[in-house]
Amino acid sequence: MAKATTLREFESIFPKLVEDILAHSRQYNLPEDFVNWYRKSLNANTIGGKCNRGMSVPDSVSILRGAPLKEEEYFQAATLGWMTELLQAFFLVSDDIMDSSITRRGQPCWYRQPNVGMIAINDAFLLESAIYSLLKKHFRSHPAYVDLLELFHEVTFQTELGQLCDLLTAPEDKVDLNSFSMDKFTFIVIYKTAYYSFYLPVALALYQQNIATPKNLKVAEQILIPLGEYFQAQDDYLDNFGLPEHIGKIGTDILDNKCSWLINTALAIATPEQRKILDDNYGRKDPTKEAEVKKLYGELNLQQIYKDYEEKRVGEIKKMIAEVDESEGLKKEVFESFLSKIYKRSK
């Protein structure tokens, strides 16, 4: 019987990994006060999130094995999970600078912390580098070592392509709804979010268990990428229609000129008069104009359109899961676990 990890169990692994990373930096005679800076950056930027991506690795490994993991097995799977969290930390530190964001996880963004500033750019690089020092230390003798290396490099590249499309399509300081389209939304979502958030944890679990056949990886990709698309559409829906007390924040997609599922759906069905309202009010950093867009979203019945989309998409994903061939070690339960966490979520 598989056992789901807890955040406390997962976080208990991280201090050991931090020491491994710092030991690697000390071999180059890095002065101790700079080692302490690195430690502070690792802890501040990697700890404190929900860790859903990272915990999905040991959870998936446990499901694939059909049993709770022994201590060393858990450590190995959780270490791969923390590598995904380091990748996430690298992306978030960089993204906050690019977006001129103010807060992250209830604290000032790393680049806005005292004495940090643009040193945060180099700190982001060091967060990424930590992945590869851990991979070498703990998986150098693993038969899939090169595959794991290539997977992290490829998923990083895919995410950066998604970020490029997002930055060029929807800059905060230049609103042009003509540059938006559902195709661009889909590209951004697939490459900026779906690969590293959904496909990566399962691919890591498959490689760690030595059952990452081309067929298994392709099946995982075919299910998890649409799941990631659905997750982002859901996230965009909650940004506008979710309750702040449930989602833990006040949505800002309209103010921030986001190329979201809602605005692209609205653009596809708006009359010329409604389109003018969107052109005049979307992404304008003005709560009054934001209210006009929200009002129009209500008039366009986007709540019901989303709910219809959700049922159709989830039905398609469930059908794909039901057709999974388990003969090569892949388990339907891996995908059912992901879907159960997000279907009809309110936060």
Side-chain angles (χ1 to χ4, degrees), residues 204-223:
L204 289 171
L206 291 170
Y207 279 121
Q208 201 259 345
Q209 290 296 296
N210 289 314
I211 54 172
T213 64
K215 178 183 173 183
N216 279 349
L217 290 168
K218 179 53 70 177
V219 169
E221 183 180 29
Q222 288 172 339
I223 295 173

Side-chain angles (χ1 to χ4, degrees), residues 25-241:
S25 69
R26 283 193 183 98
Q27 70 178 321
Y28 301 109
N29 299 315
L30 184 68
E32 199 61 25
D33 51 343
F34 301 155
V35 171
N36 289 333
W37 178 282
Y38 196 5
R39 182 197 306 277
K40 183 179 177 183
S41 171
L42 285 163
N43 285 313
N45 292 304
T46 315
I47 296 283
K50 295 187 287 288
C51 292
N52 289 335
R53 295 167 182 83
M55 291 194 297
S56 293
V57 182
D59 283 353
S60 296
V61 170
S62 183
I63 291 169
L64 292 170
R65 290 181 63 81
L69 302 180
K70 295 175 184 174
E71 187 175 347
E72 180 56 28
E73 292 170 337
Y74 181 79
F75 178 80
Q76 292 286 314
T79 296
L80 287 171
W82 276 113
M83 292 179 204
T84 70
E85 292 298 324
L86 284 162
L87 187 64
Q88 161 87 334
F90 160 54
F91 291 146
L92 294 185
V93 171
S94 307
D95 198 46
D96 285 342
I97 297 169
M98 287 181 257
D99 290 349
S100 301
S101 298
I102 306 300
T103 60
R104 169 70 63 183
R105 296 170 179 165
Q107 299 292 325
C109 296
W110 181 244
Y111 80 98
R112 293 177 62 88
Q113 298 264 355
N115 305 315
V116 178
M118 289 303 106
I119 299 170
I121 296 172
N122 195 65
D123 289 337
F125 298 156
L126 286 169
L127 290 165
E128 183 191 22
S129 296
I131 296 165
Y132 300 100
S133 63
L134 289 175
L135 201 54
K136 185 175 182 180
K137 178 172 178 60
H138 294 286
F139 293 90
R140 182 69 180 79
S141 61
H142 194 285
Y145 177 63
V146 173
D147 294 305
L148 291 166
L149 272 174
E150 290 184 347
L151 177 63
F152 272 108
H153 282 305
E154 196 63 25
V155 168
T156 301
F157 180 61
Q158 290 168 319
T159 308
E160 289 162 351
L161 291 178
Q163 175 74 341
L164 177 66
C165 186
D166 193 15
L167 290 168
L168 295 178
T169 299
E172 285 196 46
D173 59 349
K174 183 186 176 187
V175 181
D176 179 10
L177 297 185
N178 289 319
S179 70
F180 286 12
S181 70
M182 197 57 87
D183 284 344
K184 281 185 181 173
F185 164 80
T186 301
F187 182 92
I188 292 166
V189 168
I190 288 174
Y191 291 100
K192 185 178 175 180
T193 301
Y195 272 104
Y196 95 93
S197 299
F198 290 86
Y199 175 72
L200 177 62
V202 174
L204 289 171
L206 291 170
Y207 279 121
Q208 201 259 345
Q209 290 296 296
N210 289 314
I211 54 172
T213 64
K215 178 183 173 183
N216 279 349
L217 290 168
K218 179 53 70 177
V219 169
E221 183 180 29
Q222 288 172 339
I223 295 173
L224 293 164
I225 298 308
L227 194 62
E229 286 182 67
Y230 158 54
F231 172 82
Q232 188 59 55
Q234 182 185 58
D235 213 51
D236 294 348
Y237 169 82
L238 291 173
D239 183 89
N240 188 76
F241 293 108

